[in-house]
Amino acid sequence: MKYVRPLSLFKDLIGVKTHAQKGKRLLGLDVGDKYVGLAVSDHTNKIASPLSVLLRSEAKMDLMATDFQCLISELSLGGFVVGYPSDERWNNDDRLFTQEAPDFSAGYRADERVKTVNVVQVQHFVNELCGTGILKDINYTYWGEAFTTKLVELQLQDLHFHPVQSKTMLDKFAAVGILQEYLDYVNRKLKS
């Protein structure tokens, strides 16, 4: 896996010249401590839809990478958009990352420890996935995921789902929020 800037990922995807690579889609990932929520774009890369939830297991990262490889083939995926916890110190005006995901761990107060843990968790997951070597031909980018999980949580609370069902829906739809925000941004940016 290779990191690319958000706009570059999309430009590469739509600028592909060969017929075999046209129509590539994107996969959105919401990385949590136990699960990874997945969302997929449509063939026009304008609309994100929920896909599934994978159980996260460091001991079986090769198996997870193989699952991702199957998704790449089955869904004609051209890249991953990985949700990344963001804050006001990051370039949140356009939420465009100008470099690999910044390290937020330095300088956090005790009450911001949860965000630091989430940042480390996402970085560790991506590093482990890259380390398998199975996904070497896929590009990925990070996208700020401020409040996506919280927004979905608020939308689901009145529906009174079983806690397990609620958690899987939360993870899938948080991934949808991340990917949809990314798609909206890059499509809008390319029009201007």
Side-chain angles (χ1 to χ4, degrees):
M1 285 176 50
K2 178 185 167 203
Y3 173 81
V4 294
R5 290 181 174 187
L7 207 49
S8 296
L9 176 67
F10 196 74
K11 283 181 178 178
D12 291 348
L13 200 67
I14 63 171
V16 172
K17 302 287 187 237
T18 66
H19 178 69
Q21 293 179 313
K22 282 191 177 184
K24 293 284 186 177
R25 300 158 76 181
L26 292 167
L27 186 72
L29 285 78
D30 177 48
V31 179
D33 55 344
K34 293 182 183 176
Y35 301 101
V36 178
L38 303 176
V40 66
S41 68
D42 66 337
H43 290 288
T44 64
N45 288 306
K46 295 195 187 309
I47 299 170
S49 299
L51 183 61
S52 67
V53 175
L54 294 178
L55 181 62
R56 186 173 167 200
S57 171
E58 285 184 39
K60 298 179 181 174
M61 193 54 77
D62 285 341
L63 184 58
M64 246 185 134
T66 303
D67 288 345
F68 280 118
Q69 190 64 47
C70 289
L71 288 174
I72 290 168
S73 298
E74 289 173 20
L75 300 173
S76 186
L77 298 175
F80 294 170
V81 178
V82 182
Y84 200 88
S86 60
D87 72 353
E88 67 281 349
R89 290 181 279 174
W90 206 350
N91 186 3
N92 272 346
D93 291 335
D94 61 11
R95 301 174 87 177
L96 182 62
F97 295 52
T98 56
Q99 58 187 353
E100 283 202 44
D103 181 7
F104 288 132
S105 60
Y108 265 80
R109 297 186 316 262
D111 61 335
E112 294 174 315
R113 182 169 167 74
V114 171
K115 186 171 281 189
T116 303
V117 170
N118 291 341
V119 167
V120 170
Q121 180 176 285
V122 171
Q123 289 174 336
H124 182 72
F125 176 79
V126 170
N127 289 340
E128 289 289 314
L129 207 53
C130 289
T132 65
I134 295 172
L135 302 172
K136 59 184 176 223
D137 295 331
I138 195 88
N139 290 338
Y140 72 95
T141 196
Y142 292 109
W143 192 253
E145 65 162 310
F147 308 114
T148 53
T149 301
K150 196 62 173 168
L151 289 172
V152 174
E153 223 171 61
L154 291 171
Q155 291 171 338
L156 292 177
Q157 73 184 6
D158 291 336
L159 299 177
H160 307 291
F161 287 113
H162 184 276
V164 173
Q165 188 180 17
S166 181
K167 177 64 177 145
T168 58
M169 288 184 70
L170 179 70
D171 292 331
K172 280 193 284 192
F173 281 96
V176 169
I178 293 162
L179 183 56
Q180 190 62 58
E181 285 182 15
Y182 171 80
L183 293 171
D184 290 346
Y185 174 80
V186 293
N187 281 296
R188 194 170 45 248
K189 195 77 171 169
L190 291 179
K191 279 186 180 179
S192 58

